[in-house]
Amino acid sequence: MATFLLIHGGGGSGWDWHLVVDELRWRGHEAVAPDLPIGNPEAKLADFAATATAAVEGKPDIVVVGHSYGGFTAPLAAARLENARLLVFLAGMVPAPGEAPGQWWGNVGFEGPDSGLTETETYLGDVPPELAAEALTRSRDQLSAEWDDPWPDARLPDIPTRVLLCRDDKFFSPELQRRVARERLGFEADEIDGSHGVALSRPVELAERLERYFATL
């Protein structure tokens, strides 16, 4: 059994992971998806990491998964958890030492999605319509202070690390994610069908992949 720490992206919440949480628990694992303090105007990356680690402190065999903007928090949490066994960037931003989240976009050559796409099409293109609508109503304003906060660690944690990109992602293109994995981590990204909101559109497939990653450690 593993403990999966599932970290949401920008403007999100733990709810974004609820289908994956249910699936992982059904498979006999523990899964926790905390709400990061993005509504606190004083919260920075250290506060995000503290919230994440507190949710699983003392649990065995922890797999830390950071989705999208949560990629800046996930490696901080993994480095601070004694029992962290695996780090997964899911359509995730891979930080560099000293790099603030606001700098990442230009540093990696991010190009925004087609301006003709709706918000749903950009992030949740393959999510069932009613679920996609609920996801948008549950989004939270990112009022926190981490945008210009330099990523504090000297390196990524020294544990097995995977990048899992979404082939149908209209926000972080597969091409961008493949390049970032090669340039910043030195290996090829894995791939899964689905949009940026894959945790809502393909929870079974995603849970299977995360479970398989743990099983092969």
Side-chain angles (χ1 to χ4, degrees):
M1 186 191 79
T3 300
F4 290 87
L5 173 58
L6 307 171
I7 300 175
H8 64 77
S13 69
W15 178 89
D16 300 342
W17 289 102
H18 73 283
L19 298 178
V20 177
V21 167
D22 289 347
E23 183 66 25
L24 288 169
R25 289 175 177 171
W26 180 82
R27 293 166 178 269
H29 303 288
E30 185 164 356
V32 181
D35 291 344
L36 300 184
I38 67 173
N40 179 354
E42 298 181 357
K44 294 187 175 183
L45 291 172
D47 301 297
F48 290 3
T51 297
T53 56
V56 295
E57 194 71 51
K59 301 290 186 180
D61 294 332
I62 300 169
V63 177
V64 183
V65 186
H67 175 241
S68 193
Y69 197 70
F72 264 77
T73 300
L76 297 178
R80 288 152 180 75
L81 288 166
E82 181 180 358
N83 294 325
R85 299 289 180 260
L86 174 69
L87 171 64
V88 181
F89 292 95
L90 174 63
M93 296 167 67
V94 179
E99 179 181 65
Q103 297 172 324
W104 181 90
W105 313 84
N107 289 348
V108 302
F110 171 80
E111 296 182 2
D114 186 335
S115 60
L117 296 176
T118 66
E119 187 174 7
T120 299
E121 290 168 338
T122 299
Y123 299 102
L124 306 165
D126 62 343
V127 177
E130 290 186 2
L131 188 58
E134 182 176 0
L136 293 180
T137 65
R138 287 179 174 272
S139 65
R140 299 187 293 160
D141 292 335
Q142 191 92 18
L143 305 176
S144 42
E146 82 297 328
W147 184 256
D148 296 315
D149 188 17
W151 198 74
D153 285 6
R155 62 186 65 83
L156 292 173
D158 187 20
I159 60 174
T161 300
R162 308 295 288 264
V163 172
L164 182 58
L165 67 81
C166 303
R167 295 189 185 101
D168 308 305
D169 198 332
K170 297 295 191 296
F171 184 58
F172 286 158
S173 71
E175 293 75 20
L176 172 69
Q177 294 177 74
R178 292 185 189 105
R179 178 166 52 77
V180 170
R182 293 184 191 117
E183 293 177 353
R184 296 207 163 183
L185 297 170
F187 58 75
E188 296 297 319
D190 297 325
E191 304 188 10
I192 190 172
D193 289 336
S195 66
H196 198 68
V198 66
L200 293 172
S201 66
R202 300 173 185 270
V204 175
E205 294 93 327
L206 179 55
E208 287 176 347
R209 185 68 66 94
L210 294 177
E211 183 179 52
R212 193 183 317 153
Y213 282 161
F214 177 70
T216 57
L217 289 177

